[in-house]
Amino acid sequence: MSERSDDIRRRREEAMAGFEQRAKEAVELINERGRPKLRIKPLIQSTDKEKLDELIAAIEKRLATNVQPEEYSLYNILAHLKTYDLENPSTDEDGFDTNGFELAISELNQVMRFFDSGREEKGIEYLLYRYKIKKFAYKLDTSGFIPLLHLEAATNCNLVCTMCYQSDERLKELIKEQKVKTMPWELFTKVVDEAYEHGCRGMVFAGRGEPTINPRFTDMLRYCHEKGVLHLKFNTNATYLTEKMAREWLSMNACLIIVFSVDAGDKKVFEEIRIGADFDKVKANVEMFARIRKEEFPNSPVRTRINMVISRPKDQDPEAARVMWAPLVDEFSVQTANAEQAGSTYLNNPDGTPRNVAPDRVCIAPFTRMYVWADGRVNPCENDYLSWLCLGNANTESLHEIWLGNTKHELTMRKLRLAFITGKKNCFRPCNNCLGKGSSDA
């Protein structure tokens, strides 16, 4: 075994041993800095007044014809666009912290990508999809089916990052015992087909592992795109990125967001946080992707983003990282580490009693999202990465019925929602140790 391998093994063991202490430190950091908020600010703003007027004219033209009931939202979208402030646009793409409907500039840029490529109809369809996303995110609307589904392509990961649940020994044991570690093709097509049938037009490959570990991951992206899914997104640590992957992803002509997870512009800090990663290799891979896109696919609708998570504020320099990484991507985002994903959801008080945080917060997770893990288990939230809140199994049950809460399990979405809106969030573990998602406290 090489000296580097020995060092990585030792640091992984140390990371596992120090997990609970880091969870406590993450809670302290949140108390100091406030709840993490993801803000997406494009490095280059491609939407200008002329393009915005073009979009407004296209919507007015559509509304002058026979408008279908599912298009009525265009009236609200049009009113919003006519007062859109390009000088000071919204950067809240998720919509969790915005009162009412508001398009983030990154979303508006994406609409214009459709228009620029001659796909005006798709651009308007994408607008309606984003309107539904925001409606779900803020209004706690559960009518129909979720517009965005989260899928876990792989449970396992090749890295052990110090701010991530992959450094929790309990998750490692769960993965070791789990027979299925990458989502089977049959399960994947079943859930995508069902979700699409019920109107879902967004798929995010998220969860606990590195999606590119799944040998059919590119096929998964292609299947969703050819199915008609409007919005695809995934996070990757870029360690397995190859030229073949880059060309396949870029050639799909899909509305795809690729988020490269890097937490420093400094090799030493980067490799201390992302245990097992080679900074030089990751940087070369991201540079390779940027070069192929620029030279071979300059008009690709793919968006790229660097996401930096601050878990060691004394060591991490966001500005230095931005200077290094920004020239390679479309967007650069920085956010404080999520204490829940660092293990605080399972962290009790020293005497063993639950911390019972934010009892009055109406967490929007059970109103806005649903996760299908690689083995088929369905969860309401990624913060419960040990699946204490398992809602069912997509291998044998209908996703639509699980979403509606029409199952015979002891825990259902319906029970969760009713408890949350009546101030009983903390009756559930590990929700009682979680700040909850979204800004609503009513």
Side-chain angles (χ1 to χ4, degrees):
M1 189 175 288
S2 69
E3 185 177 333
R4 172 175 164 76
S5 297
D6 285 339
D7 179 59
I8 290 173
R9 180 180 53 78
R10 176 186 57 79
R11 288 192 290 120
R12 285 183 171 180
E13 290 173 354
E14 290 175 353
M16 295 284 186
F19 181 79
E20 185 170 317
Q21 178 58 35
R22 288 196 307 279
K24 294 176 182 177
E25 292 170 356
V27 171
E28 292 172 1
L29 189 60
I30 296 299
N31 290 337
E32 176 188 326
R33 294 192 168 202
R35 188 169 51 85
K37 294 182 180 181
L38 180 61
R39 295 294 179 263
I40 309 302
K41 189 172 184 179
L43 297 165
I44 298 177
Q45 185 168 314
S46 58
T47 303
D48 55 23
K49 182 66 167 59
E50 183 179 347
K51 288 187 175 182
L52 182 59
D53 288 342
E54 177 189 348
L55 175 58
I56 289 171
I59 295 174
E60 288 178 333
K61 182 179 178 181
R62 171 69 71 86
L63 291 175
T65 62
N66 292 325
V67 182
Q68 300 301 311
E70 60 270 20
E71 299 177 321
Y72 288 166
S73 301
L74 286 174
Y75 289 106
N76 291 334
I77 295 171
L78 179 63
H80 170 60
L81 291 176
K82 285 188 172 183
T83 61
Y84 199 87
D85 185 358
L86 286 170
E87 297 298 320
N88 186 34
S90 168
T91 55
D92 180 15
E93 186 170 307
D94 285 338
F96 291 166
D97 300 295
T98 301
N99 189 351
F101 172 69
E102 188 173 39
L103 280 171
I105 187 62
S106 54
E107 296 172 291
L108 200 51
N109 286 348
Q110 186 62 60
V111 175
M112 298 321 303
R113 284 187 176 93
F114 282 116
F115 272 64
D116 290 344
S117 61
R119 295 183 291 170
E120 186 177 297
E121 290 294 317
K122 282 292 183 184
I124 291 179
E125 188 180 354
Y126 179 82
L127 271 176
L128 290 166
Y129 156 71
R130 295 311 298 180
Y131 183 86
K132 190 176 182 182
I133 287 280
K134 299 300 178 71
K135 184 180 176 184
F136 267 66
Y138 187 77
K139 299 299 183 183
L140 308 183
D141 185 345
T142 60
S143 59
F145 190 71
I146 45 173
L148 184 67
L149 182 65
H150 291 72
L151 303 174
E152 182 181 74
T155 309
N156 50 333
C157 187
N158 59 319
L159 304 183
V160 173
C161 298
T162 56
M163 73 300 189
C164 177
Y165 27 56
Q166 285 287 343
S167 59
D168 186 342
E169 188 66 45
R170 292 168 296 183
L171 179 59
K172 285 298 181 186
E173 287 302 314
L174 185 151
I175 294 173
K176 190 183 299 183
E177 295 171 4
Q178 188 172 302
K179 293 182 179 179
V180 178
K181 295 177 176 58
T182 58
M183 183 174 283
W185 184 254
E186 296 74 18
L187 171 62
F188 166 73
T189 54
K190 174 185 181 295
V191 297
V192 170
D193 289 350
E194 183 180 356
Y196 189 86
E197 179 186 348
H198 288 286
C200 180
R201 293 296 180 269
M203 302 286 170
V204 173
F205 289 88
R208 299 162 293 181
E210 166 58 36
T212 59
I213 286 178
N214 192 310
R216 299 205 65 177
F217 181 62
T218 296
D219 294 332
M220 289 175 163
L221 294 175
R222 185 179 293 109
Y223 185 88
C224 290
H225 175 56
E226 293 178 352
K227 187 82 179 176
V229 173
L230 286 169
H231 173 210
L232 290 165
K233 176 185 172 186
F234 68 91
N235 287 52
T236 176
N237 58 37
T239 55
Y240 290 147
L241 184 59
T242 65
E243 290 191 5
K244 181 176 185 290
M245 286 179 182
R247 290 190 173 93
E248 288 180 332
W249 297 345
L250 289 164
S251 65
M252 286 181 202
N253 203 31
C255 178
L256 170 64
I257 301 173
I258 302 173
V259 183
F260 299 117
S261 300
V262 298
D263 304 301
D266 175 84
K267 177 180 174 67
K268 180 177 181 295
V269 175
F270 178 94
E271 293 183 356
E272 286 177 353
I273 293 173
R274 298 192 154 265
I275 302 172
D278 182 326
F279 176 83
D280 297 319
K281 180 181 179 182
V282 170
K283 185 170 182 288
N285 285 348
V286 176
E287 289 173 335
M288 171 268 291
F289 189 94
R291 173 181 55 78
I292 291 176
R293 185 172 73 153
K294 181 180 179 180
E295 294 176 357
E296 302 178 31
F297 303 92
N299 298 316
S300 170
V302 169
R303 283 164 56 193
T304 55
R305 180 187 308 159
I306 290 290
N307 187 48
M308 180 178 182
V309 175
I310 302 296
S311 59
R312 291 167 46 176
K314 293 180 180 179
D315 301 321
Q316 293 168 279
D317 185 340
E319 181 56 25
R322 187 192 66 79
V323 170
M324 170 176 286
W325 296 104
L328 304 175
V329 293
D330 301 309
E331 302 161 357
F332 183 87
S333 61
V334 181
Q335 64 181 125
T336 304
N338 183 324
E340 286 76 31
Q341 292 184 21
S344 71
T345 41
Y346 307 103
L347 182 67
N348 289 327
N349 291 316
D351 63 0
T353 59
R355 290 183 296 118
N356 286 324
V357 299
D360 298 322
R361 182 179 294 280
V362 181
C363 172
I364 63 176
F367 300 89
T368 61
R369 57 187 59 201
M370 191 160 63
Y371 286 76
V372 182
W373 296 143
D375 64 352
R377 285 179 297 167
V378 179
N379 238 59
C381 178
E382 79 273 31
N383 289 349
D384 175 34
Y385 56 86
L386 297 180
S387 271
W388 290 5
L389 297 172
C390 184
L391 299 165
N393 194 308
N395 284 292
T396 56
E397 298 175 78
S398 159
L399 274 186
H400 188 240
E401 292 302 301
I402 293 174
W403 170 252
L404 294 177
N406 294 336
T407 61
K408 296 181 180 179
H409 299 291
E410 183 177 347
L411 178 65
T412 66
M413 275 290 204
R414 184 177 296 164
K415 288 181 181 178
L416 274 179
R417 292 175 189 136
L418 181 60
F420 282 25
I421 63 176
T422 55
K424 298 177 182 178
K425 172 181 82 70
N426 288 357
C427 291
F428 295 93
R429 299 176 64 200
C431 302
N432 53 358
N433 287 338
C434 182
L435 286 172
K437 293 183 179 292
S439 62
S440 175
D441 291 309

